[in-house]
Amino acid sequence: MSSSLATSSFVEFLSDDDDGTVTEAGPSVGFAERQANAFGKLSQMFQCAACCSRFPVARMVTAKCSHRYCVDCMISLFMRSTKDESLFPPKCCRQPIALSMISPYMSADDLATFEAKTEELTTTYRVYCSNHSCNAFIPPRQITNGTHRAVCSDCAHSTCSICKNTFHKDSDCPEDPGIQQTLELAHEQGWQTCPRCKSLVELRTGCYHMTCRCKAQFCYLCARKWKTCSCNTADEHRLEERAEEIVDRNAEDNLGLVERQHRVRRVHEELRENHECEHPGRFQRVFHPGRRGFTCEMCDDRHWKYILQCRHCYINVCEECRRNRV
């Protein structure tokens, strides 16, 4: 309803002893005010949390955490999550964003792509077509129990769901030289295998608490479910290296050796206490990047204005990763 239509509406009153004359009664003041407030809210502009542009409320989607996104940025987040598993499922401030919030604005192709990718990314033991020119995901419903034969719906090629190579009738899977070489390299480098999805993972920094892309949490040393083993939770040498990295990236150019050592010891103690940090509370903004800029430790993008830093473990993340990845 337009504002002109609302203000021109009227009600007709006819009484039993009326002579037929029609009396016009305008809207009450309360109703008019409510209408004005409603139209005012519809025309109000809000800032998108992603692109920072301003849009009317009709072109925005509000997440559970109250962050507002423009329709285009929200669609972009959903579609990027189909290519970057660290963004799946789409979320803001650790709270999942329901597909129903954005699906009315998505094209039929985008919606179909996201729904198909959702099936893939929520499958624990994934099988992909062994035809190297295809590599399509084969959903569990296309895998025959007993024979472990997985038939690709795209190219009709058959894959063994156990060894992930071309399907074979023998009960024992043939050894794959490429896989064996990869496993040998993993052993040499000290990499670990996810106990759920069997992906190889590498510990770059921090404690032994690993969270795989399949969301499994396990110990990097023994691959058992996290906090079900007697392994140490962190390596002191790694924590010290991390403390030095944090101090050096934030240090002024003329930082003295004694002061640097003091800062490293202090940060080392804080990391020992917070090595399983879940980043509670608000991040702090760090400015003045100098010539080097800031690098997000989750997406590796470089930023020049500021970076967000956890007050407990000192991880540096960009705005997008803070909302959609952490």
Side-chain angles (χ1 to χ4, degrees):
M1 178 184 293
S2 66
S3 57
S4 59
L5 179 60
T7 55
S8 62
S9 299
F10 64 92
V11 181
E12 295 183 352
F13 294 97
L14 291 176
S15 62
D16 292 338
D17 57 352
D18 205 324
D19 59 0
T21 304
V22 176
T23 303
E24 294 187 6
S28 66
V29 175
F31 175 78
E33 289 179 350
R34 290 196 300 272
Q35 290 288 82
N37 290 336
F39 287 119
K41 290 181 179 179
L42 288 175
S43 61
Q44 190 174 357
M45 306 289 281
F46 294 95
Q47 180 173 293
C48 173
C51 68
C52 296
S53 298
R54 302 186 72 83
F55 298 88
V57 67
R59 291 294 300 170
M60 304 204 76
V61 177
T62 304
K64 290 182 180 179
C65 59
S66 298
H67 279 132
R68 290 187 173 95
Y69 292 81
C70 69
V71 168
D72 290 342
C73 285
M74 183 62 79
I75 292 176
S76 174
L77 173 61
F78 269 70
M79 298 315 296
R80 284 186 294 120
S81 74
T82 65
K83 300 178 180 179
D84 182 351
E85 197 165 349
S86 67
L87 292 172
F88 187 88
K91 55 187 173 294
C92 188
C93 299
R94 301 186 180 183
Q95 300 185 64
I97 303 172
L99 175 61
S100 58
M101 295 182 64
I102 193 62
S103 57
Y105 304 97
M106 299 174 72
S107 67
D109 288 343
D110 283 350
L111 185 58
T113 297
F114 182 80
E115 290 177 337
K117 202 67 177 180
T118 296
E119 181 180 18
E120 175 185 344
L121 298 182
T122 54
T123 299
T124 301
Y125 301 102
R126 303 173 197 169
V127 178
Y128 295 89
C129 181
S130 57
N131 179 1
H132 296 303
S133 62
C134 178
N135 295 320
F137 169 69
I138 303 177
R141 62 178 177 276
Q142 293 172 212
I143 301 176
T144 304
N145 291 330
T147 63
H148 305 293
R149 183 172 189 166
V151 180
C152 177
S153 59
D154 288 4
C155 69
H157 185 75
S158 294
T159 299
C160 173
S161 63
I162 301 298
C163 66
K164 310 298 192 297
N165 289 313
T166 298
F167 178 74
H168 50 85
K169 294 183 179 180
D170 298 333
S171 58
D172 294 330
C173 297
E175 290 190 359
D176 187 319
I179 293 179
Q180 294 303 316
Q181 291 176 3
T182 302
L183 293 177
E184 291 174 3
L185 177 62
H187 179 73
E188 293 173 1
Q189 298 295 325
W191 301 339
Q192 187 55 272
T193 303
C194 173
R196 178 185 293 177
C197 69
K198 308 305 178 184
S199 296
L200 290 174
V201 295
E202 178 187 12
L203 176 62
R204 295 170 58 183
T205 186
C207 68
Y208 294 131
H209 181 192
M210 305 301 295
T211 302
C212 182
R213 64 183 182 182
C214 71
K215 307 302 185 290
Q217 299 186 49
F218 58 94
C219 171
Y220 188 75
L221 295 180
C222 66
R224 293 180 62 183
K225 185 178 179 180
W226 183 242
K227 289 190 175 180
T228 63
C229 63
S230 58
C231 300
N232 293 329
T233 57
D235 179 85
E236 285 296 320
H237 179 65
R238 288 181 182 272
L239 291 181
E240 185 174 357
E241 286 184 339
R242 174 63 174 167
E244 292 178 346
E245 177 187 350
I246 292 171
V247 170
D248 290 341
R249 79 183 180 198
N250 296 332
E252 54 272 22
D253 294 335
N254 59 348
L255 179 65
L257 178 60
V258 175
E259 177 61 22
R260 179 183 181 276
Q261 292 175 340
H262 171 72
R263 293 184 186 182
V264 168
R265 285 194 298 270
R266 178 176 58 81
V267 173
H268 188 188
E269 289 298 322
E270 292 178 358
L271 292 179
R272 182 184 289 121
E273 181 179 350
N274 300 310
H275 64 267
E276 291 188 70
C277 183
E278 295 185 356
H279 320 300
R282 298 181 62 182
F283 280 49
Q284 60 184 353
R285 287 186 177 183
V286 179
F287 295 88
H288 309 300
R291 295 189 302 271
R292 295 173 295 179
F294 295 111
T295 300
C296 174
E297 295 184 71
M298 299 200 75
C299 67
D300 291 328
D301 283 351
R302 188 171 292 275
H303 300 268
W304 300 100
K305 187 176 181 181
Y306 67 89
I307 200 76
L308 299 178
Q309 187 176 93
C310 176
R311 301 170 187 268
H312 304 276
C313 69
Y314 298 101
I315 186 174
N316 282 352
V317 298
C318 63
E319 289 278 6
E320 179 186 35
C321 288
R322 171 68 182 94
R323 292 189 305 269
N324 307 136
R325 284 191 173 94
V326 172

